[in-house]
Amino acid sequence: MLALALAAGACTATEPGERARATPPAASGAVSGTGTAPPPATSAATLATEPAPAPARSAPDGPGEDVTLPEALTWALAGRPELRAADRERAARLVERRLASRPREPYVQIDAEDFLGTGDLSWFDQSQLTVWYGQLIERGGSREARENEAEVELDLVDLDRVVLAHDVAARTTSAFLRALLAQQELELARAAEEAAETLHAAVRERVEAGKVSPVEESKHALVLASARLDRARAERELEATRLELARSWSSPHPCGTAVGAFGGAAQPAPIEVLRERLAEGPRMRRLEAEVRASAARLERARADAVNPWLLQAGIRRFEQQGDVAGVLTVLLPLRVHGRGSDSVEAARERMRRTEHDQDAARAELEAALDRTWNLATRSHDEVAALEGGVLGRASQ
């Protein structure tokens, strides 16, 4: 009887507007709110390569302002410092790619010989002055390998930004759902407290009338105290979840009401479809890009193993005769110690390690997908069973 009374109190304590917000809508989906909430992955993928769209209103500066899921996602993806840091890293990689495409800088060298010596060479009368113009000649495709490595590194930064945006969107969505759940739990806790107060008052009247034992009032007093503790705990939990949600867009103040409602229980997509999405997703593409980057580093090591030539051309002036003559120098480095081959071997081993890391990461992502899909399927079956008759019989 106490459980039925508490349930009746929970139903009657909800105001019409509050009940409308807490009732799941007929349309399927995770959350519905003001406007259509974009899927977190889509928002993150779009903002990873494009500027964040201007929200209908700016992020709140103070506490207590209501928020919808689309607004929370937009504010988080536009204002998180780690995303701005990723943008700065991409700008630096663009500069490095431009630098990699440029040839080596030439240089000018001036040599003075046969001066400030002894005898006829005591001054500059018989000195020789040579002006050199030198250029390093790259060989073995070194410049092309350097450009390719810079291009692949830029791709890695872009994919890192996409993955980071997905993570930010996922954390923001999770924080919004926790705030929405905490609001509903607080409503239930307040309704239970009100029902417990009503029951306690009714039992106290019966005790004063001598119809029941005073022990019954003590029992209901304990129930009322427990309900008040649950309500206080729910209030603290709601405050914590609202602060956590506001932290998503770097606000130091708790937000207001999370405006939305839990959608109906949609059947999870088939596991085969999700595996295909995972294979085409940013994390898998990032793993593949890491392998390409390792291959580019290997090609760079091979190109650098071919030592460049140094070409110098100059003009020499003989002070004693007043004549000038051209001079030419070509420096051909010798491969004696095998440093280039060791660098190539080290780059090859790192590429093999990257391939192993890719296999391990792919297996972990697939295992995480399987665990999440099984949990979602079980949760859907439980909700369907509750909606299919359990709640109806409990209401009766």
Side-chain angles (χ1 to χ4, degrees), residues 192-217:
E193 181 184 12
E194 182 179 345
E197 289 176 349
T198 301
L199 286 173
H200 180 259
V203 172
R204 184 170 55 203
E205 291 178 359
R206 294 174 61 84
V207 170
E208 293 174 352
K211 296 181 178 180
V212 295
S213 171
V215 176
E216 294 298 323
E217 181 183 1

Side-chain angles (χ1 to χ4, degrees), residues 251-391:
S251 174
H253 308 290
C255 65
T257 302
V259 180
F262 286 101
Q267 176 70 39
I271 187 64
E272 294 78 10
V273 175
L274 296 179
R275 287 198 179 106
E276 292 177 359
R277 294 179 185 174
L278 179 64
E280 299 172 356
R283 282 181 171 80
M284 286 297 190
R285 289 189 284 119
R286 205 264 179 213
L287 294 175
E288 295 169 357
E290 183 62 37
V291 175
R292 293 197 304 271
S294 297
R297 297 184 192 108
L298 175 58
E299 291 302 317
R300 171 74 180 276
R302 287 172 176 168
D304 291 343
V306 181
N307 294 325
W309 292 349
L310 180 61
L311 176 63
Q312 293 184 133
I315 298 177
R316 177 171 294 174
R317 173 181 172 82
F318 298 89
E319 293 295 336
Q320 184 177 11
Q321 298 89 357
D323 296 331
V324 294
V327 290
L328 180 66
T329 300
V330 178
L331 298 180
L332 306 178
L334 301 177
R335 299 180 60 181
V336 177
H337 301 293
R339 293 174 57 87
S341 59
D342 290 341
S343 299
V344 171
E345 183 63 24
R348 184 182 294 110
E349 293 300 327
R350 288 196 174 93
M351 187 183 70
R352 292 169 179 168
R353 175 195 169 180
T354 303
E355 293 173 349
H356 295 317
D357 290 341
Q358 181 192 33
D359 294 338
R362 180 184 291 108
E364 178 58 30
L365 286 174
E366 291 175 351
L369 173 61
D370 291 339
R371 291 192 300 269
T372 306
W373 186 83
N374 289 330
L375 176 60
T377 302
R378 292 197 306 269
S379 300
H380 171 267
D381 294 341
E382 292 174 4
V383 172
L386 289 173
E387 292 178 343
V390 175
L391 292 180

Side-chain angles (χ1 to χ4, degrees), residues 133-154:
Y133 176 87
Q135 177 67 56
L136 194 67
I137 301 176
E138 298 181 283
R139 302 168 56 238
S142 178
R143 180 177 173 182
E144 292 78 6
R146 188 169 64 248
E147 293 176 358
N148 183 50
E149 182 183 11
E151 187 70 31
V152 175
E153 293 290 345
L154 179 60

